[in-house]
């Protein structure tokens, strides 16, 4: 009888411990809000070494670091992503170089796509075209265009 009571108590302690672990894990997950174009957003496509401009800001598409997006005509276990490098300027002065992640899913979030922000504006690397296909030859840098999104903050 005593052994059975200890076993029940151990199970209760284990259950309580697991509940605390689960609550801690769920609290540590940050929810990512998807970035969407709205009527105030300004979107421009630029090729490598070209710039998109909005008011005092300029974003130059420097290079494609890596493009591991799964080709459209292939079934993959993972959709993949592309990494690009941009340079952000304000009034002609370099503010920063930034590496951005463009998900194959098209899901845009601050953690991956935000190039720069102030309280007035957020600037994103929004989309990268063309999307890879196996029937086409290997893409070169001159083939790529990056969509830059300027999103004023109200």
């Amino acid at each position: 009888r005593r052994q059975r009571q200890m076993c029940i108590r151990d199970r209760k302690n284990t259950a309580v411990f697991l509940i605390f672990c689960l609550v801690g894990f769920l609290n540590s997950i940050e929810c990512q809000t998807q970035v969407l174009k709205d009527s105030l957003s300004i979107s421009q496509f630029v090729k490598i070494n070209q710039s998109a401009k909005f008011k005092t800001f300029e974003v130059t598409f420097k290079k494609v670091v890596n493009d591991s997006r799964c080709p459209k005509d292939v079934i993959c276990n993972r959709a993949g992503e592309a990494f690009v490098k941009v340079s952000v300027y304000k009034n002609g002065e370099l503010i920063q170089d930034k590496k951005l992640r463009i998900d194959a899913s098209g899901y845009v979030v601050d953690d991956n796509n935000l190039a720069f922000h102030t309280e007035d504006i957020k600037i994103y690397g929004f989309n990268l075209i063309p999307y890879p296909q196996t029937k086409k030859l290997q893409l070169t840098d001159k083939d790529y265009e990056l969509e830059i999104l300027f999103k004023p903050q109200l």
Side-chain angles (χ1 to χ4, degrees):
R1 178 173 166 99
R2 185 171 184 219
Q3 189 175 17
R4 186 169 181 247
Q5 286 176 340
M6 288 181 66
C7 185
I8 291 171
R9 186 176 50 194
D10 287 345
R11 285 183 187 171
K12 285 181 182 178
N13 288 341
T14 302
V16 169
F17 175 74
L18 290 175
I19 289 170
F20 278 116
C21 288
L22 180 62
V23 169
F25 173 74
L26 293 175
N27 283 335
S28 70
I29 297 175
E30 288 187 39
C31 183
Q32 290 288 319
T33 303
Q34 184 175 11
V35 176
L36 302 172
K37 292 181 195 177
D38 57 29
S39 61
L40 299 176
S41 299
I42 305 297
S43 172
Q44 299 174 32
F45 278 92
V46 293
K47 290 188 171 284
I48 288 184
N49 294 320
Q50 291 182 339
S51 299
K53 297 177 184 177
F54 180 74
K55 295 187 178 181
T56 60
F57 292 97
E58 183 176 338
V59 180
T60 302
F61 179 20
K62 291 300 203 178
K63 69 179 183 175
V64 175
V65 177
N66 182 26
D67 188 355
S68 64
R69 295 174 293 171
C70 180
K72 283 183 178 181
D73 50 351
V74 174
I75 297 174
C76 299
N77 290 333
R78 196 172 161 274
E81 67 272 327
F83 289 92
V84 298
K85 183 178 177 187
V86 297
S87 294
V88 181
Y89 300 85
K90 182 170 182 177
N91 297 320
E93 298 273 330
L94 177 66
I95 297 173
Q96 69 180 10
D97 290 322
K98 186 82 184 252
K99 183 177 169 184
L100 305 175
R101 176 180 164 179
I102 310 294
D103 278 328
S105 67
Y107 198 76
V108 178
V109 294
D110 282 359
D111 281 356
N112 296 339
N113 303 85
L114 185 64
F116 183 75
H117 70 94
T118 66
E119 62 184 43
D120 298 329
I121 192 166
K122 287 187 174 185
I123 304 171
Y124 296 94
F126 201 77
N127 188 19
L128 184 67
I129 59 172
Y131 198 91
Q133 295 181 17
T134 57
K135 293 180 176 114
K136 286 195 165 195
L137 296 175
Q138 185 73 18
L139 293 171
T140 64
D141 282 352
K142 67 181 170 100
D143 298 320
Y144 285 104
E145 290 184 49
L146 178 65
E147 182 179 11
I148 306 293
L149 183 73
F150 297 94
K151 191 169 173 95
Q153 302 297 295
L154 300 177

